[in-house]
Each structure stands twice: as structure tokens, then as C-alpha cells.
């Protein structure tokens, strides 16, 4: 974990912004391997010149501003993204509000007034396909061209491939939508995770011998409905388990809910916030003709989940502490 990870926002006073920092700029949804290459470049640049390295990102995600009525499956909300960024070794993050004013800011104004003027950066790392400014005119090549007159260093990272396929947030969303947890994990560089507060449910799991911690995920979560091997974080504690995400077709076919059965655990979790990391996909969600058939399948699910987790000891996203 990175001690002292700071978050700089639009309202942060200029005196609190470290001048001369290096920034890794991007939306960083998921903080996947492509993002991590940009972050590594910024960290290297910072070490070379004795400067702190920060992430520069935007909230809400620009897609939400430009397409407010289109459902957006985010891999990481703002809090999760910052925790992942804090786990990379960065000194902090600059979170810029993406609104109408930001969308209308020209690329040149963004570079001169925000990057150089307000933040006073000494260097910047970006991915090969990152664009910014009004009309997405800002590009890596524009930064490279402007760098000499601004006296800043620019590092443009190429795409990262796995099995000859480019790593991207959209590719990870597609993998999760198909239950391809191993593919998503490979592109992320670690397990995908969600965080949420444990809420009261129908208590059916308790009656079946499988009491669950229930978490309501974002309504736009595109994770495939099914059964998963999971590793749960409660603070620094890690607890293995098996989870169902879906509509419970055997019972009520209701709103999607994440239901987590923790192995060898006995305690009250209501109101607590858990991190749930998805380690393996067990099977699709199914409708059963009887409760007995469901319980028999749950017994098998538990055994398969235990085996998957035993094969991935310690697998969990590297999260930092955000001040």
C-alpha cells in the first residue's frame, strides 16, 4: 500500500498541489495492463528526475457525460479506481470533474492552463489512443509536438496485447459479460473486484444451509449471471467463498443480486462493506425443479469453488489506502 496517497480535485488549493510532478493521464477504468504500462512509464520518469508521479483521471467517466441515457458498465467506480491506483506506487491522483465546461475546453487550453498552468507538470505519460479536449482533438502526437516549447517530457505507450489481442476496458467488459473470468483477470493483471455493503435479503440461503452476505451491485453491472469462486476482503482479512450473481430463477426471478457464501465463517456482516474478488467461473445460473436439486448443485458448486481458490492462493487485487 502506498502511504500518503493524495487526491487532488478541482477545488484543491494551488498551494497543496506538488509542482513539477509527472502525470499518467487516462480514464483508467479497471486499471488494466495497458493502463499499468502508462503508470509504469510515469513512475520511471518520476524516479529518473526525482519527481512525484500522479495519475490524472476524470470523473464521471466521459462516456456518461456524452451518452447519459446509455447504460455504462464501469469496471471500477471512482472509489475502486483510486484504491487500485494507490496500489501501483503512485503518490496520488488528480481527479478532474468531467462536465460541460471540461468538454468544451480545447486541447490547447487544457495543456497550457491545466497541465502546465495549474498542475505545473514536468512530464506526462499517455496511451497511444488517448484523446482529450473539445472534439477529442488532443492526442499523443499533439503532446509530443508541444513538449519542446513547454519544457516537459512526454512518453507515449503502445498498446498491450495478450495472445495477439489488444487489452482494453471494453474487451474486459465483454469477457466478464461472458463469464470469462480467466481472460478478464489476465487483462487486468489481477482479479476483478466489486465493493458493497451487506444488506438484508430473504434469508433463503440460511434455510438451505448456505447463509449468504447479499450485496446490491450497480444496476448497469454487466457481469454474466452465474456462480463464481470468490475471495472476499474485509479490511485486511481474506475469506474464501462461492457467490451467485443473478435473479434467483428457482425462487423469484427478481432484481440481480450478489449472494456470497463464505467458507468456514460465522458472524454478522450486515452493514459492513466487503470487497469481492472474482477468482473463477463455476457455471451459468440455472432454474431447478426442486429445492433438493438446488442444494445438491450448491454442494457441488462449493467443492468446485474450493478447488479453484486452492489453485489460486493469495489471488486478490492490490489495493492501496486513499487519504
Amino acid at each position: 500500500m502506498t502511504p500518503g496517497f493524495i487526491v487532488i480535485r478541482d477545488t484543491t488549493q494551488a498551494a497543496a498541489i506538488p509542482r513539477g510532478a509527472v502525470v499518467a493521464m487516462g480514464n483508467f477504468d479497471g486499471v488494466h495492463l495497458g493502463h499499468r504500462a502508462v503508470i509504469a512509464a510515469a513512475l520511471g520518469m518520476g524516479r529518473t528526475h526525482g519527481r512525484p508521479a500522479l495519475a490524472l483521471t476524470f470523473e464521471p467517466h466521459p462516456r456518461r457525460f456524452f451518452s447519459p441515457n446509455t447504460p455504462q458498465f464501469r469496471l471500477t467506480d471512482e472509489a475502486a479506481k483510486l484504491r487500485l491506483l494507490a496500489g501501483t506506487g503512485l503518490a496520488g491522483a488528480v481527479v478532474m470533474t468531467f462536465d460541460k465546461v471540461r468538454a468544451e475546453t480545447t486541447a490547447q487550453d487544457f495543456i497550457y492552463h491545466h497541465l502546465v498552468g495549474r498542475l505545473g507538470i514536468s512530464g506526462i505519460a499517455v496511451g497511444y489512443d488517448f484523446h482529450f479536449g473539445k472534439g477529442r482533438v488532443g492526442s499523443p502526437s499533439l503532446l509530443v509536438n508541444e513538449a519542446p516549447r513547454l519544457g516537459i517530457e512526454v512518453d507515449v505507450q503502445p498498446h498491450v496485447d495478450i495472445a495477439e489481442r489488444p487489452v482494453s476496458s471494453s474487451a474486459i467488459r465483454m469477457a466478464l459479460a461472458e463469464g470469462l473470468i480467466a481472460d478478464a483477470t489476465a487483462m487486468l493483471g489481477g482479479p476483478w473486484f466489486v465493493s458493497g455493503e451487506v444488506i438484508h435479503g430473504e434469508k433463503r440461503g440460511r434455510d438451505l444451509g448456505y447463509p449468504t452476505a447479499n450485496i446490491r451491485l450497480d444496476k448497469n453491472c454487466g457481469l454474466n449471471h452465474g456462480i463464481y469462486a470468490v475471495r472476499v476482503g474485509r479490511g485486511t482479512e481474506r475469506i474464501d467463498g462461492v457467490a451467485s450473481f443473478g435473479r434467483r430463477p428457482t425462487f423469484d426471478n427478481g432484481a440481480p443480486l450478489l449472494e456470497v457464501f463464505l467458507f468456514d465463517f460465522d458472524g454478522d456482516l450486515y452493514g459492513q462493506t466487503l470487497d469481492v474478488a472474482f477468482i473463477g467461473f463455476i457455471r451459468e445460473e440455472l432454474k431447478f425443479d426442486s429445492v433438493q436439486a438446488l442444494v445438491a448443485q450448491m454442494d457441488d458448486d462449493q467443492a468446485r469453488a474450493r478447488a479453484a481458490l486452492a489453485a489460486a492462493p493469495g489471488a486478490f487485487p492490490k489495493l492501496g489506502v486513499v487519504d
Side-chain angles (χ1 to χ4, degrees), residues 20-307:
V22 174
V23 297
M25 183 165 69
N27 290 316
F28 298 122
D29 187 23
V31 194
H32 57 58
L33 291 182
H35 300 145
R36 290 175 184 274
V38 175
I39 292 167
L43 287 167
M45 200 185 305
R47 283 192 296 268
T48 298
H49 301 293
R51 303 285 190 174
L54 312 171
L56 193 166
T57 191
F58 304 89
E59 287 292 338
H61 195 291
R63 285 197 317 270
R64 181 176 173 185
F65 174 82
F66 290 113
S67 303
N69 297 319
T70 302
Q72 307 287 354
F73 172 22
R74 285 190 58 166
L75 299 174
T76 44
D77 61 16
E78 180 180 347
K81 178 169 67 174
L82 289 175
R83 292 172 71 197
L84 285 167
L85 291 171
T88 65
L90 290 166
V94 180
V95 181
M96 291 188 173
T97 303
F98 199 92
D99 53 14
K100 189 175 188 299
V101 173
R102 188 80 64 200
E104 292 294 319
T105 301
T106 67
Q108 291 283 358
D109 279 349
F110 183 77
I111 294 171
Y112 281 85
H113 294 158
H114 296 278
L115 296 181
V116 177
R118 174 167 165 76
L119 297 178
I121 68 169
S122 61
I124 184 169
V126 293
Y128 72 102
D129 60 347
F130 186 78
H131 289 77
F132 59 95
K134 184 177 180 180
R136 291 171 53 84
V137 172
S139 65
S141 60
L142 176 63
L143 288 169
V144 171
N145 291 337
E146 294 292 326
R149 76 183 71 180
L150 296 173
I152 64 173
E153 185 175 350
V154 177
D155 186 299
V156 180
Q157 286 292 303
H159 58 78
V160 173
D161 295 342
I162 292 181
E164 300 183 353
R165 294 176 55 191
V167 172
S168 69
S169 297
S170 58
I172 296 167
R173 291 187 198 100
M174 290 178 61
L176 292 172
E178 296 173 9
L180 301 176
I181 295 300
D183 289 357
T185 300
M187 289 187 281
L188 286 165
W192 180 66
F193 83 104
V194 296
S195 299
E197 181 181 329
V198 178
I199 61 175
H200 288 273
E202 298 295 329
K203 309 293 192 298
R204 291 195 190 98
R206 183 180 303 172
D207 295 335
L208 300 176
Y210 283 90
T212 58
N214 303 320
I215 299 173
R216 188 78 66 189
L217 302 187
D218 184 273
K219 65 179 181 179
N220 295 320
C221 178
L223 178 67
N224 187 42
H225 290 182
I227 310 302
Y228 297 87
V230 297
R231 183 160 286 131
V232 174
R234 184 174 67 156
T236 59
E237 184 182 12
R238 302 288 178 260
I239 311 169
D240 288 353
V242 61
S244 168
F245 177 63
R247 297 181 178 276
R248 305 161 305 284
T250 302
F251 297 104
D252 59 5
N253 208 37
L257 185 68
L258 179 65
E259 301 172 280
V260 184
F261 172 66
L262 300 175
F263 300 151
D264 311 313
F265 178 85
D266 183 20
D268 184 356
L269 294 172
Y270 292 120
Q272 296 187 37
T273 297
L274 303 180
D275 298 321
V276 183
F278 292 78
I279 309 301
F281 179 72
I282 304 300
R283 63 172 174 85
E284 299 281 348
E285 183 177 46
L286 300 171
K287 182 177 181 179
F288 293 86
D289 294 331
S290 68
V291 171
Q292 291 77 11
L294 171 60
V295 172
Q297 182 62 62
M298 292 168 70
D299 291 342
D300 183 67
D301 295 339
Q302 177 185 181
R304 294 174 61 187
R306 286 182 183 273

